[in-house]
Amino acid sequence: MDAPSNDFCHVGGALQSHDQKVPCLDLHPIVAHFFRFWLWLTTGMVTRQWVAVHRKHHARCETADDPHSPQVVGLKKVLLEGSELYRKAAADPETIQLLKEAIDERLKTESDRVSRLLMQLRLEKKDKAITENIQKLADERLLLKRLMLSGDYTDLSAEDRRALSK
């Protein structure tokens, strides 16, 4: 992979990770999908794996544990083989733990958001649409809680994998 493609991938991955974490950065679904596709096409990684490696990079910046430090592995290697460095780091147990922590954090945030919406709806005057929305949100919250209790996210049903990929 050449350097401009690697840089674009890095920007796309960073935007994706911040779109997932920072509510004020809300990418249009088409733009978000494009960056997810580009990240997958150029690195073979899904966004959450990339985010875990990127978090490790920031946590261990410019040390021997940094997955892609130009000071440690050299600028040429980072620019020309950055995707390979990311894929290698994605298989590291510490990175896998960071990925689990990122998923845990995202699930808790989403569960809290759904719980707040449920409380608001339950305080409103009930009609059929609100009652249906309450049931839908309650089911969503139950699914999020079940995912949070699943542990390592390896043996998930198809429904749970779909929910986790949202």
Side-chain angles (χ1 to χ4, degrees), residues 53-115:
V53 174
H54 193 69
R55 283 180 171 204
K56 184 175 181 180
H57 160 68
H58 282 283
R60 311 281 194 277
C61 196
E62 307 307 344
T63 68
D65 293 330
D66 184 342
H68 63 100
S69 168
Q71 291 183 0
V72 175
V73 298
L75 182 60
K76 183 178 178 182
K77 186 167 184 84
V78 170
L79 291 176
L80 298 177
E81 300 175 36
S83 297
E84 290 80 5
L85 293 170
Y86 260 73
R87 280 195 300 275
K88 180 181 173 189
D92 178 51
E94 182 184 8
T95 306
I96 293 169
Q97 180 60 31
L98 287 172
L99 176 59
K100 182 190 176 316
E101 290 170 9
I103 293 171
D104 289 346
E105 181 181 312
R106 181 69 178 172
L107 287 172
K108 181 175 180 343
T109 300
E110 188 63 16
S111 178
D112 290 347
R113 183 191 69 80
V114 170
S115 293

